[in-house]
Amino acid sequence: MIFLDVRPPQSAEDRRETAVAHLALARSLNCRNRHFGYIFLSNLKNRSDRIHMEDRAAEGVDKWNRKKYTKYLEEEKVAQKGDLLSFRPDIKVLDATIRDGGLVNDFYFTDEFIHNLYKANVKAGVDYMEFGYRADKEMFDVDAYGPWKFAEDDKIREVVGDNDTDLKISIMADVGRCNYKEDIHDRSDSPVDLIRVATYVNTMPAAIDMIEDAHRKGYETTCNIMAISNAKESDINKALEMLGKSCVDGIYIVDSFGSLFPEQIRTISDQYMEVGEKYGKYIGMHAHNNQQLAFANTIESCARGVSYLDATMSGMGRGAGNCCMELLLGFLKNPKYKLFPIIKFIEQNIVPLKEQGVEWGFDIPYLLTGHLNQHPRAAIAAMKEGRKDYSGFYKEIIDKD
């Protein structure tokens, strides 16, 4: 006989919770146990009967809890990939400082900054460096942005030359914002190795067309599904199935609004990993730091088997920023990753950038949009205006929720 509680409920709330638990359990038990379950739910008048019932229940609960906990540990051991004392060779780190950080300063980085970042990534053992967007010049004013909004092949070559290193080069192409058929050239004519296609769930067919085009041209490809915290689970499942059947190499979890918690990332990672294992795709993670959880969410996804991990120097990125590279490399145990070059780069390049007035990172407006699962555009505007009336800002955005 199995019971979920061994003490008679004391309050109305306790009685209600106990009743719900036992009724749920009763559905899975045979008639006799269901009968005893209902007896337990009633207020037994006879004290000796109640004590007897409690003893029997305690014995059953003890056996049931031991069995259930053992099964839980076994399942978690299978689900968790790696441990804190070893490393997984399948893990790859991608530096998105130029691309996501460029959203902070409209991609106006000095040539020295870009060269130093490239050298730091090579020395640190980072696997990929993203040089920005391949945006359509017909849609975006070239005079309003720095060159890394468009990340042309020739501009990248000025930095990497023949790139005779282990570091691979990536760019991002947004659905609807990239003239990919003309502006993304054959891999044999480009210094780029990886094309990352960014899309929302509702533009998946267009994303797959871009992926197939890049694949035909010889590139590695990923699909970064943005704003999943605002998407229906059924839509995400359909999108994952579509990508699973496509030629894409990897699929990225993207917490665009920085609204997700590690418990949610755990479930989402399992969902993506199931599709990845089914179709032979790797899974990646791109986090935002609105609730100070970018690093936590990244390593949580890693523990569930996610292998491509995005980070930026000092967390530089849109709004609240991203997972800090210095945190991630300090956590990963692969001896090929070196922390010192990252620390040196931050000291010599990121600190001066901040001193010039370039701002990003956690602040109350970003926390509030993340908390409400909203796009950070309102928070970005509030920060630019220097607003400190946090309560007033909260009232404004909660009305839009």
Side-chain angles (χ1 to χ4, degrees):
M1 180 165 50
I2 301 172
F3 291 100
L4 296 180
D5 201 345
V6 298
R7 295 181 301 274
Q10 299 299 316
S11 65
E13 181 66 23
D14 288 340
R15 285 195 298 275
R16 183 164 61 252
E17 290 181 359
T18 303
V20 170
H22 280 273
L23 286 171
L25 179 62
R27 296 191 190 101
S28 64
L29 299 178
N30 60 41
C31 293
R32 183 184 175 194
N33 282 338
R34 186 183 301 119
H35 172 70
F36 281 112
Y38 284 124
I39 291 176
F40 181 82
L41 290 177
S42 65
N43 291 320
L44 297 177
K45 304 290 186 181
N46 189 301
R47 184 173 180 275
S48 63
D49 288 346
R50 187 166 62 245
I51 292 173
H52 175 69
M53 181 72 74
E54 291 173 11
D55 290 342
R56 293 290 300 278
E59 180 182 354
V61 167
D62 187 50
K63 291 179 180 177
W64 180 75
N65 282 344
R66 284 202 304 269
K67 184 177 180 181
K68 183 179 179 182
Y69 187 61
T70 300
K71 182 179 179 182
Y72 168 78
L73 290 178
E74 290 173 352
E75 290 175 348
E76 284 297 296
K77 188 175 182 180
V78 171
Q80 183 167 314
K81 306 294 191 296
D83 55 57
L84 291 176
L85 296 180
S86 62
F87 71 88
R88 283 170 33 213
D90 62 311
I91 289 177
K92 308 295 181 185
V93 175
L94 184 145
D95 171 46
T97 303
I98 302 175
R99 202 271 308 163
D100 215 314
L103 297 169
V104 177
N105 64 351
D106 292 328
F107 302 90
Y108 284 111
F109 295 100
T110 65
D111 290 343
E112 181 184 18
F113 183 99
I114 301 297
H115 279 87
N116 289 346
L117 179 59
Y118 172 69
K119 293 175 184 176
N121 279 320
V122 170
K123 291 179 181 178
V126 171
D127 300 282
Y128 290 84
M129 177 174 169
E130 193 163 59
F131 271 78
Y133 288 97
R134 186 65 58 88
D136 187 351
K137 290 185 177 181
E138 293 293 322
M139 296 182 66
F140 297 93
D141 184 358
V142 295
D143 296 326
Y145 299 95
W148 306 108
K149 174 77 171 177
F150 310 97
E152 296 177 295
D153 287 341
D154 289 343
K155 188 65 177 176
I156 296 173
R157 279 199 189 91
E158 291 178 10
V159 179
V160 306
D162 293 331
N163 190 31
D164 187 20
T165 73
D166 292 330
L167 177 68
K168 291 186 175 183
I169 307 304
S170 77
I171 58 171
M172 180 165 280
D174 267 342
V175 169
R177 300 180 181 183
C178 174
N179 186 5
Y180 59 96
K181 296 195 177 208
E182 294 184 14
D183 291 343
I184 295 179
H185 311 121
D186 286 346
R187 170 68 186 86
S188 58
D189 300 322
S190 172
V192 175
D193 300 286
L194 168 65
I195 305 292
R196 304 212 298 172
V197 175
T199 183
Y200 295 104
V201 170
N202 65 327
T203 54
M204 192 55 62
I208 290 176
D209 189 64
M210 294 176 69
I211 289 164
E212 290 174 345
D213 180 78
H215 179 77
R216 284 193 298 269
K217 292 172 179 175
Y219 293 96
E220 301 172 33
T221 57
T222 72
C223 185
N224 295 37
I225 309 175
M226 300 183 290
I228 59 171
S229 58
N230 268 354
K232 295 179 181 178
E233 185 175 359
S234 59
D235 289 342
I236 294 174
N237 286 333
K238 290 176 184 176
L240 291 175
E241 280 296 314
M242 292 171 69
L243 288 170
K245 295 174 182 177
S246 77
C247 59
V248 76
D249 297 301
I251 307 169
Y252 260 80
I253 302 165
V254 184
D255 181 16
S256 301
F257 302 159
S259 63
L260 297 173
F261 292 93
E263 292 84 356
Q264 294 169 293
I265 291 296
R266 187 181 309 141
T267 302
I268 293 168
S269 298
D270 291 346
Q271 176 188 15
Y272 277 59
M273 285 297 300
E274 183 178 351
V275 173
E277 291 170 356
K278 177 181 177 182
Y279 291 104
K281 316 293 185 183
Y282 64 77
I283 305 301
M285 177 69 198
H286 181 85
H288 279 265
N289 204 39
N290 295 62
Q291 299 187 92
Q292 300 269 43
L293 291 171
F295 175 57
N297 286 339
T298 299
I299 64 175
E300 183 65 39
S301 72
C302 179
R304 308 306 289 187
V306 172
S307 53
Y308 276 55
L309 310 176
D310 283 15
T312 63
M313 302 296 174
S314 198
M316 185 180 186
R318 183 199 65 188
N322 308 105
C323 175
C324 292
M325 180 67 76
E326 58 273 25
L327 286 173
L328 184 59
L329 292 196
F331 169 78
L332 296 174
K333 297 299 183 288
N334 192 330
K336 81 168 190 171
Y337 295 127
K338 311 295 182 186
L339 181 59
F340 182 74
I342 303 303
I343 300 301
K344 187 175 181 180
F345 175 83
I346 291 171
E347 175 188 338
Q348 297 179 347
N349 299 270
I350 295 294
V351 172
L353 200 64
K354 288 186 173 182
E355 290 174 346
Q356 294 166 19
V358 180
E359 293 184 350
W360 70 89
F362 175 82
D363 212 314
I364 297 299
Y366 298 130
L367 162 67
L368 295 176
T369 57
H371 173 69
L372 294 174
N373 193 23
Q374 294 181 3
H375 191 286
R377 62 175 64 89
I380 293 171
M383 292 296 294
K384 286 182 178 179
E385 295 168 6
R387 291 183 59 174
K388 301 297 181 184
D389 58 325
Y390 300 138
S391 58
F393 175 74
Y394 184 57
K395 292 176 184 177
E396 289 175 13
I397 63 172
I398 202 168
D399 285 340
K400 301 176 184 178
D401 195 36

